[in-house]
Amino acid sequence: MKAVLASHNKKKMSEMRAILAGIDVEILSQADVGVDLEPEETGTTFEENARIKAKAIMEATGLPAIADDSGLMVDALDGAPGVYSARYGHEGLDDAGRWQLLLKNMEGQTNRACRYVSVICCAFPDGTELMARGECHGQVAEIPRGDGGFGYDPVFWLPELGKSMAELSPEEKNRISHRGKALGVFKEEWEKKRNGTDQ
Ligand code: IMP
């Protein structure tokens, strides 16, 4: 059995591959199957966008496609940047530009609670799908720390660890992250579906 990761984000894909290790499936990238498609994320929820990406790549390849739609939700900003995390601020900002904008928008805020959300959708050629969600709670840091991970990780503070997400090793991050949790649920659902199908 083969499945394609519906993503162009190399760091996200490397986390997904590491977390999915051990699952009974050959994981391919879009580059492996020669599909360059990058569907427009027109949904207003993580679930909608994960489904849009997974279905488009499944339809283009004829293989099950696994998509992650994820983002950072900040309580004091009414859940922003949320589904728009990858596009926060004006076009042309890189990851550092986006977290710098976030720190600016959080100036003077005492409520710094935030969470990462990841929704995994796997779309199958028979029209069925698997959906799983994971969350990781933290605080928006006052200053960036660390250079691991990607995206907002330098400013995602984990009070119980006394570290930012960017200060964790890849293994530590995958153990506690939104993506690790969502893919953990997804792996269980995948095995159940496979066992049901195989009977
Ligand atoms: P997507 O490709 O639309 O799902 O965009 C996800 C965006 O959310 C990324 O580009 C990051 O800005 C942010 N994000 C999601 N997961 C993480 C993470 O694990 N660390 C840091 N930022 C993340």
Side-chain angles (χ1 to χ4, degrees):
M1 164 80 97
K2 293 178 179 180
V4 189
L5 292 185
S7 180
H8 288 282
N9 181 329
K10 290 209 168 73
K11 294 199 171 154
K12 189 197 267 192
M13 282 167 60
S14 128
E15 290 184 7
M16 291 175 79
R17 277 183 185 282
I19 301 164
L20 285 171
I23 193 173
D24 183 21
V25 61
E26 187 186 345
I27 303 284
L28 304 171
S29 66
Q30 287 190 220
D32 290 333
V33 292
V35 170
D36 196 26
L37 199 64
E38 195 162 355
E40 207 185 329
E41 298 180 23
T42 51
T44 55
T45 63
F46 296 110
E47 280 77 6
E48 281 171 6
N49 283 337
R51 182 178 291 121
I52 287 170
K53 291 188 272 191
K55 274 189 79 172
I57 304 308
M58 178 275 288
E59 280 164 7
T61 61
L63 292 169
I66 305 170
D68 157 291
D69 198 65
S70 46
L72 176 70
M73 301 188 73
V74 178
D75 288 8
L77 303 178
D78 295 326
V83 291
Y84 305 105
S85 293
R87 297 166 268 170
Y88 191 46
H90 58 85
E91 279 206 24
L93 285 186
D94 58 6
D95 278 355
R98 279 185 285 271
W99 61 246
Q100 278 159 11
L101 174 65
L102 175 69
L103 291 191
K104 192 164 179 299
N105 291 342
M106 286 294 285
E107 269 168 23
Q109 276 292 350
T110 48
N111 176 9
R112 306 195 67 92
C114 65
R115 63 188 192 276
Y116 275 143
V117 178
S118 160
V119 170
I120 301 295
C121 178
C122 180
F124 294 89
D126 67 1
T128 58
E129 69 176 30
L130 289 180
M131 193 75 98
R133 185 184 176 102
E135 297 195 358
C136 177
H137 291 246
Q139 309 256 313
V140 180
E142 298 278 353
I143 47 159
R145 280 174 61 160
D147 55 13
F150 67 98
Y152 298 89
D153 284 349
V155 296
F156 191 97
W157 183 247
L158 295 151
E160 64 281 12
L161 299 181
K163 287 181 180 177
S164 79
M165 194 68 102
E167 293 180 298
L168 303 185
S169 69
E171 295 74 24
E172 284 172 319
K173 177 177 174 184
N174 292 342
R175 248 195 317 275
I176 61 150
S177 77
H178 49 316
R179 191 162 294 107
K181 289 176 185 164
L183 283 169
V185 175
F186 168 74
K187 273 162 98 169
E188 284 176 22
E189 295 299 318
W190 173 279
E191 298 299 348
K192 274 192 224 157
K193 186 176 166 77
R194 289 273 288 169
N195 292 336
T197 313
D198 291 343
Q199 272 166 14

